[in-house]
Amino acid sequence: MKPLYTLSVDLQFFAGEKTEKATPRKREDSRKKGQVAKSADLTGAFALFAMFLMLSFLGPYLGKQLFSVTKELLGPSYLLFDLSNGLSGMLTDLLLRVGLIVGPFFAVAVVFGILINYLQIGTLFSAEAIQPKLERIDPIKGVKRIISMKAVVEFLKSLFKLLIILTTAVAVLWQNQKELSRMAVEHIRESVIALAHITIELGLWVSVALLALALLDFFYQRFDFEKSIRMSKQDIKDEYKNSEGDPLIKSKIKQQQREMAMRRMMQEIPNADVVITNPTHYAVVIRYDDTKDFAPLVVAKGVDRVAFNIRDVAKEHDIPIVENKPLARALYAQMDIGEVVDESFYQAIAEVLAFVYQLKQPS
């Protein structure tokens, strides 16, 4: 016997599987915690490439400066002068001269490090990320981190990076094997210059290879970050409740607001002048006090059940009820509660009020 109907149930909703993309609020909360998609390899690779690129352009100039400084520092007159003034003075002068040569490379590394980090994550300061947490020194969680899938991926990345560096280095050295073999018979100055050229070439090729790997790592880090901040359907529902409020509570609040507005509206009916009806479906309450109002005012209106309640309250307080189908419908559709009647209704309202005033006059 076939079932009369089938019921489709989304089991992922109950399983809590994180299959949904993170909401903007989730992303903002993760960013406040310092959790962003960033590749540390990309920063290091760019800095290394910039340093070797700078060295390739300024190599001859820096080499001359280094030779002159070395020659001057190792000269007998300089040694005798500095030894007479003390060893600390000689070391200070040596560090200052070497620092002027090496300093620009560190400056380039720092500038590129800051720039690449900014391009990846923008401006970010998270106090929560640097707060001490006891769970970080938990040995059990430490072992879990060591044997986790992320740790395995990082280990494989390191091995692959080492393999790429060794392969690139062997390729560059193999290409320059003639220059390396001539270094043994050439003058020391020419040998140092040739070694410097080979070193710069090796550094550029290695940094380019690392840069290519770092770009792949950057896309992997973005993929892994997006995966780590995924949310389940229940998470999205809970977030909506926390940010927008529980729908049940919101509906109750709106219901209470409607009830309060209804009570205020009903309290205005005893002070009104007339109730214009459909006669059964619509009811619009008009008040006009020439000492307070410069024009007739709609103080209440309703349809169906509310219209019946308006008529009941009007009868209890002897408020005249006038049947005018087109006027009642038009007022209900075009005018809001507390709003002055539009000029297009002045003549019709004036006729109704005149009729009401005649009824109130003693016979």
Side-chain angles (χ1 to χ4, degrees), residues 338-355:
E339 189 176 8
V340 175
V341 173
D342 190 78
E343 295 181 359
S344 59
F345 296 107
Y346 279 1
Q347 183 176 354
I349 295 294
E351 292 176 358
V352 172
L353 291 176
F355 174 72

Side-chain angles (χ1 to χ4, degrees), residues 175-211:
Q175 187 179 2
N176 293 275
Q177 58 180 332
K178 293 182 179 179
E179 286 77 5
L180 290 173
S181 61
R182 285 201 302 265
M183 288 173 57
V185 295
E186 290 183 348
H187 190 269
I188 185 171
R189 183 182 180 90
E190 284 71 19
S191 299
V192 171
I193 293 176
L195 182 61
H197 282 296
I198 295 174
T199 303
I200 294 174
E201 183 181 357
L202 177 61
L204 284 174
W205 280 109
V206 169
S207 60
V208 169
L210 292 178
L211 190 58

Side-chain angles (χ1 to χ4, degrees), residues 241 245-255:
K241 286 182 179 180
D246 194 326
L248 294 177
I249 297 177
K250 290 180 66 176
S251 64
K252 290 182 179 180
I253 293 175
K254 289 182 178 179
Q255 182 180 357

Side-chain angles (χ1 to χ4, degrees), residues 10-294:
D10 189 357
L11 296 179
Q12 289 183 349
F13 187 84
F14 299 98
E17 295 183 4
K18 299 183 182 299
T19 58
E20 307 299 318
K21 290 185 178 181
T23 60
R25 183 177 178 182
K26 173 70 172 180
R27 294 179 185 277
E28 183 179 356
D29 292 341
S30 299
R31 186 176 179 82
K32 289 180 180 178
K33 296 177 182 178
Q35 299 174 358
V36 290
K38 183 184 75 170
S39 173
D41 294 344
L42 189 63
T43 303
F46 262 107
L48 185 65
F49 177 75
M51 290 173 62
F52 276 103
L53 188 64
M54 179 181 175
L55 187 60
S56 66
F57 285 105
L58 301 180
Y61 171 76
L62 294 176
K64 291 179 181 179
Q65 293 295 321
L66 187 61
F67 269 116
S68 63
V69 169
T70 304
K71 183 178 180 180
E72 183 178 351
L73 290 176
L74 296 179
S77 59
Y78 183 83
L79 289 174
L80 291 174
F81 174 76
D82 278 346
L83 288 174
S84 63
N85 292 333
L87 186 61
S88 61
M90 183 180 68
L91 292 176
T92 302
D93 187 60
L94 176 63
L95 291 176
L96 181 61
R97 295 191 178 202
V98 174
L100 292 176
I101 299 175
V102 182
F105 294 97
F106 288 100
V108 168
V110 171
V111 170
F112 267 83
I114 296 174
L115 178 62
I116 300 302
N117 271 317
Y118 177 78
L119 293 177
Q120 287 189 86
I121 62 176
T123 304
L124 174 63
F125 175 77
S126 175
E128 186 174 349
I130 60 177
Q131 289 179 354
K133 296 181 179 179
L134 295 177
E135 61 183 15
R136 294 177 180 174
I137 59 175
D138 187 348
I140 298 178
K141 292 185 177 181
V143 173
K144 289 182 178 179
R145 285 194 295 268
I146 293 174
I147 62 176
S148 64
M149 181 58 66
K150 188 173 183 179
V152 173
V153 172
E154 293 297 328
F155 176 71
L156 293 177
K157 280 169 49 183
S158 300
L159 286 180
F160 189 63
K161 189 188 304 183
L162 181 61
L163 179 62
I164 292 296
I165 292 174
L166 291 176
T167 304
T168 305
V170 170
V172 173
L173 294 177
W174 182 266
Q175 187 179 2
N176 293 275
Q177 58 180 332
K178 293 182 179 179
E179 286 77 5
L180 290 173
S181 61
R182 285 201 302 265
M183 288 173 57
V185 295
E186 290 183 348
H187 190 269
I188 185 171
R189 183 182 180 90
E190 284 71 19
S191 299
V192 171
I193 293 176
L195 182 61
H197 282 296
I198 295 174
T199 303
I200 294 174
E201 183 181 357
L202 177 61
L204 284 174
W205 280 109
V206 169
S207 60
V208 169
L210 292 178
L211 190 58
L213 290 177
L215 288 173
L216 294 177
D217 179 65
F218 172 71
F219 290 111
Y220 167 75
Q221 294 296 339
R222 290 189 63 178
F223 167 77
D224 186 63
F225 174 73
E226 291 294 330
K227 184 180 178 181
S228 66
I229 63 172
R230 282 179 184 174
M231 305 172 67
S232 64
K233 293 183 177 180
Q234 184 63 38
D235 292 337
I236 296 177
K237 183 178 179 181
D238 293 339
E239 181 185 290
Y240 175 78
K241 286 182 179 180
N242 294 330
S243 60
E244 300 295 335
D246 194 326
L248 294 177
I249 297 177
K250 290 180 66 176
S251 64
K252 290 182 179 180
I253 293 175
K254 289 182 178 179
Q255 182 180 357
Q256 291 179 355
Q257 291 174 345
R258 287 194 296 266
E259 291 176 354
M260 292 174 61
M262 182 67 67
R263 286 195 295 268
R264 288 195 300 267
M265 185 180 71
M266 292 300 179
Q267 291 173 358
E268 293 292 332
I269 296 175
N271 301 322
D273 292 293
V274 64
V275 178
I276 303 173
T277 64
N278 189 26
T280 56
H281 296 290
Y282 292 89
V284 180
V285 183
I286 301 296
R287 186 194 73 191
Y288 178 61
D289 186 351
D290 54 2
T291 62
K292 298 179 181 179
D293 306 323
F294 67 90

